[in-house]
Amino acid sequence: MSSSILVINCGSSSLKFALIDTVTQHTSLTGLAEKLGLADAQITFKYQGGKAVQTLAAGTHAAAMHAILGQLQELGLFDSVRAIGHRVVHGGERFKASTRIDDEVIAAIEDCARLAPLHNPANLLGIHTALESFPGLPQVAVFDTAFHQSMPERAYLYAVPMALYREHGVRRYGFHGTSYRFVSGEAARMLGKPLEDTAFVCAHLGNGASAAAILGGQGMDTTMGLTPLEGLVMGTRSGDIDPGLFGYLAGALKLDVNGVTELLNKQSGLLGLSELSSDCRELEDAAQAGNPSAILALEVFSYRLAKQIAALTVALGRLDAVLFTGGIGENSSYLRERVIKLLGFLGLQLDADANQRCIRGQAGCITTDGSVPALVINTNEELMIALDTAALVEQAR
Ligand code: ADP
């Protein structure tokens, strides 16, 4: 019986994909189409340890989807594909869970595009091209925001006029939800507890970074807001700032709103602080070599993260474990050490050897016996999307 799900993560100039067998949880074919819209667009396929690159003459998302279809047919994998699961960034308040895609769902995702103008249109392009290339297959949308829809009002409301919430959807939504769902499930398994009985603060630290308070598997609060700019220090994003900075910078630098937004999204964070790089690994190398700007940038990052983790415990009332995931969370023993040391008062105590061991795909506990555990967990958003898609398709049979 066919049991594979094709997972699509479509961006404005890229399209990532993975073919996942939801019974064995094995990923067979993966790949990435890049530079879509440009003359040198190309698509890379990885299969059984091998790699193949094709140029995409038309350079469009449709051409990329067509190449994926062709590759699936060539490798004899097409008949195993049961459905397609799409990552969709913003589901607003409309989507509290993953859903089968139909015309009404497409219209609702279009409506949410006003909240995520950079992401949702690209996600929709992926959906439309997949519907054209794979007309017979069921398609499912999995939303980054859905997990956080369980947040209570006190966590998601900004203290601005309520009319802005009612009329413009101004509230905190949160992102990285698919990762939080996967990682909290894994953490409960690692601790041998039912998910319903757990209270976690999870930090998803990649180029974009956020943290979330998760009680019994439900999102209670998170650091990202209306947009992914709020919260932690990130690769190139400032995270929390005084909103007064907008007016101040507009005056001081003669910038319009777009100019300030660009500065806070693209030139800030680790890059802005270090004046070296947005990449955590490069900064760590520089810090180990004694570079003061790199040390300072990582110091601000760790302090702000520790401060937010402590703040998020207020949403839980207790703390069963701190979870680290994402490229930085899964690899940076340097930052984890600094964060855990700042959280000693919450009962966390670092196991330095375990912390050094948990890198490059090695999951585990990095605190001592008797400490509140801190766990390193490898996220797998693609698998989560595939499992949701398979479950929804199964339900409909
Ligand atoms: P994205 O949000 O784009 O998915 P990732 O989750 O892949 O990003 O995380 C990218 C970040 O992880 C980069 O800052 C990178 O430097 C960092 N990272 C990856 N490996 C290491 C490592 N060994 N040590 C420190 N940081 C690392």
Side-chain angles (χ1 to χ4, degrees):
M1 196 187 74
S2 60
S3 60
S4 291
I5 303 294
L6 180 62
V7 175
I8 303 277
N9 181 354
C10 190
S12 57
S13 63
S14 69
L15 195 159
K16 255 197 246 175
F17 56 93
L19 185 67
I20 300 177
D21 183 318
T22 51
V23 176
T24 62
Q25 305 203 347
H26 172 69
T27 302
S28 47
L29 175 71
T30 61
L32 172 68
E34 295 168 282
K35 301 191 182 174
L36 297 173
L38 298 176
D40 52 347
Q42 62 172 38
I43 186 163
T44 306
F45 295 100
K46 289 187 182 164
Y47 182 65
Q48 292 185 342
K51 185 171 142 178
V53 183
Q54 291 174 17
T55 54
L56 291 168
T60 58
H61 287 75
M65 201 66 79
H66 214 73
I68 297 169
L69 171 64
Q71 191 70 13
L72 289 169
Q73 285 167 334
E74 200 173 301
L75 295 171
L77 295 169
F78 181 75
D79 289 339
S80 74
V81 185
R82 181 138 166 248
I84 300 184
H86 295 269
R87 175 192 183 209
V88 178
V89 167
H90 218 305
E93 288 189 330
R94 166 73 166 71
F95 296 105
K96 301 189 188 324
S98 303
T99 185
R100 281 282 288 261
I101 293 173
D102 58 20
D103 289 348
E104 195 234 330
V105 166
I106 288 177
I109 297 172
E110 276 165 5
D111 189 44
C112 294
R114 73 200 151 93
L115 297 165
L118 297 179
H119 293 102
N120 274 30
N123 303 154
L124 279 162
L125 192 55
I127 291 171
H128 285 301
T129 50
L131 285 167
E132 281 160 23
S133 293
F134 299 85
L137 289 179
Q139 315 234 359
V140 164
V142 179
F143 301 90
D144 283 14
T145 50
F147 177 78
H148 303 290
Q149 280 296 299
S150 45
M151 280 197 283
E153 280 176 321
R154 67 178 190 184
Y156 73 67
L157 284 175
Y158 290 113
V160 297
M162 281 300 282
L164 296 179
Y165 169 57
R166 287 191 301 268
E167 290 159 30
H168 297 280
V170 171
R171 54 160 283 177
R172 308 181 61 254
Y173 291 94
F175 299 88
H176 294 136
T178 309
S179 175
Y180 288 130
R181 205 145 49 87
F182 181 81
V183 169
S184 52
E186 288 293 298
R189 243 189 308 282
M190 280 166 77
L191 294 173
K193 286 185 168 194
L195 182 60
E196 297 69 37
D197 292 345
T198 56
F200 298 139
V201 174
C202 180
H204 177 111
L205 311 173
N207 287 309
S210 71
I214 307 171
L215 189 62
Q218 308 271 309
M220 289 291 120
D221 201 350
T222 189
T223 57
M224 281 181 170
L226 177 79
T227 74
L229 182 57
E230 189 178 338
L232 304 177
V233 176
M234 306 178 217
T236 61
R237 292 185 209 137
S238 62
D240 291 340
I241 48 149
D242 177 350
L245 206 56
F246 261 82
Y248 181 77
L249 289 181
L253 303 180
K254 305 278 176 286
L255 289 174
D256 63 9
V257 171
N258 290 336
V260 180
T261 304
E262 162 99 7
L263 190 150
L264 296 175
N265 273 291
K266 302 268 172 70
Q267 298 164 40
S268 300
L270 290 175
L271 175 66
L273 282 166
S274 68
E275 301 180 306
L276 275 178
S277 170
S278 63
D279 188 276
C280 179
R281 195 173 355 186
E282 280 179 29
L283 290 178
E284 268 185 39
D285 290 346
Q288 308 280 14
N291 182 302
S293 316
I295 293 171
L296 177 66
L298 295 172
E299 188 65 26
V300 176
F301 183 102
S302 342
Y303 171 72
R304 286 266 295 271
L305 173 56
K307 194 165 93 165
Q308 289 283 8
I309 290 173
L312 286 166
T313 61
V314 173
L316 301 174
R318 68 176 212 266
L319 181 62
D320 292 346
V322 173
L323 318 177
F324 289 96
T325 194
I328 297 173
E330 293 168 27
N331 290 293
S332 178
S333 51
Y334 180 101
L335 281 177
R336 292 187 313 232
E337 175 181 340
R338 275 154 185 77
V339 172
I340 289 174
K341 285 194 168 157
L342 289 167
L343 294 173
F345 72 98
L346 282 178
L348 281 97
Q349 219 181 8
L350 188 77
D351 177 335
D353 292 339
N355 187 37
Q356 293 303 330
R357 275 196 302 276
C358 288
I359 52 169
R360 287 192 283 276
Q362 177 64 53
C365 179
I366 56 170
T367 41
T368 54
D369 290 349
S371 162
V372 168
L375 307 178
V376 175
I377 297 175
N378 302 304
T379 194
N380 194 340
E381 288 156 288
E382 290 81 12
L383 176 60
M384 194 78 254
I385 293 172
L387 292 172
D388 272 14
T389 304
L392 281 168
V393 171
E394 187 59 37
Q395 245 174 41
R397 274 153 65 96

